[in-house]
Amino acid sequence: MQRRGLVVGNWKMNGSIESARDLAQKLVIGSRGLTGTNIAICPPHTLLHVVAAEVGDSAVQLGAQTVSEFADGAYTGETAVSMLAEAGCDFVIVGHSERRHLFVETSDVVAAKATIALAAGITPIICVGEVLEERQNGATNEAVAAQLLPFTQGSSVEVLRGAVIAYEPVWAIGTGETASPEQAQAVHYFIRSLIAEVDQGIADTARILYGGSVKPDNAADLFRMADID
């Protein structure tokens, strides 16, 4: 089954209006004529309107870095999915490792965020991945399976039909370490196999991204792997 690639740029808590405009303009130019792959840029919420104005109706799509699991209500500081939709977002990242580990977002919270985003027509990018201790203890698959558990029970798997999954080895983010293409492929294959146990059709078409350190000198080898989209 043919799967469409997706390249996502996440700025974390960085950026200014000037830098947002500059990067968005460069991505728009670089995306011209590109086929077979989507490009999404995920700036901080305060820069969504800046990037939206620059990408316009180009091939570059807009994404946010998180969303509230609540549709509305008295949740000061949160951003409702309706607000992201109004800002023009096509994607939203949920369950990024920093949200899971620093802000203690549980897998159930991540699942709630993904579900509410999808219902609003925004594609959730569901992040999963292991920390260094789990990798060293041979518990990578167990960690990833636990993070995906809410999506692999009963009808919840349908969320994965419209979502994107991003595998981000936490030990390879901002540390200078990089998972080898073979290590990344092994986890991607495990994720696809895990989904296949519930729904083979969803597993065949699921887009699974690698969210570790991707650089010019390792990108081609990573993207050659069968299960890395």
Side-chain angles (χ1 to χ4, degrees):
M1 184 71 69
Q2 183 66 35
R3 301 189 303 271
R4 187 175 178 85
L6 173 65
V7 178
V8 178
N10 171 28
W11 286 0
K12 301 182 180 289
M13 197 172 69
N14 296 303
S16 63
I17 290 176
E18 181 179 358
S19 65
R21 284 177 176 154
D22 180 63
L23 180 56
Q25 289 168 2
K26 289 176 179 176
L27 284 174
V28 169
I29 293 171
S31 69
R32 291 171 184 165
L34 184 67
T35 59
T37 299
N38 292 115
I39 299 176
I41 182 171
C42 302
H45 287 176
T46 58
L47 297 175
L48 286 171
H49 69 291
V50 176
V51 174
E54 294 298 335
V55 301
D57 59 357
S58 73
V60 179
Q61 296 174 281
L62 183 66
Q65 296 181 357
T66 189
V67 66
S68 175
E69 68 266 40
F70 305 108
D72 51 42
Y75 302 103
T76 301
E78 291 291 279
T79 303
V81 69
S82 59
M83 298 173 182
L84 298 185
E86 191 174 42
C89 288
D90 299 293
F91 294 92
V92 62
I93 299 170
V94 297
H96 189 282
S97 60
E98 290 152 9
R99 301 298 311 179
R100 289 181 186 271
H101 296 291
L102 298 180
F103 297 94
V104 202
E105 290 187 0
T106 67
S107 295
D108 287 334
V109 167
V110 173
K113 291 186 173 191
T115 301
I116 202 169
L118 196 61
I122 297 177
T123 300
I125 301 171
I126 304 165
C127 298
V128 297
E130 81 282 19
V131 298
L132 181 59
E133 183 179 4
E134 291 166 332
R135 163 64 64 169
Q136 292 175 334
N137 291 339
T140 293
N141 288 356
E142 289 82 353
V144 170
Q147 291 167 353
L148 284 174
L149 183 62
F151 301 103
T152 56
Q153 296 180 317
S155 61
S156 297
V157 72
E158 285 298 318
V159 175
L160 298 182
R161 190 183 300 279
V164 171
I165 299 171
Y167 166 58
E168 48 165 5
V170 183
W171 52 273
I173 300 175
T175 63
E177 298 291 332
T178 304
S180 70
E182 292 74 22
Q183 286 175 317
Q185 164 61 21
V187 181
H188 281 239
Y189 175 78
F190 171 74
I191 292 171
R192 203 175 298 282
S193 300
L194 188 68
I195 300 170
E197 293 178 5
V198 185
D199 192 300
Q200 184 66 57
I202 295 177
D204 289 341
T205 59
R207 288 195 287 183
I208 309 175
L209 312 184
Y210 175 64
S213 297
V214 179
K215 303 173 183 178
D217 60 356
N218 70 359
D221 289 335
L222 283 165
F223 299 158
R224 272 197 213 80
M225 296 292 109
D227 291 292
I228 297 180
D229 299 317

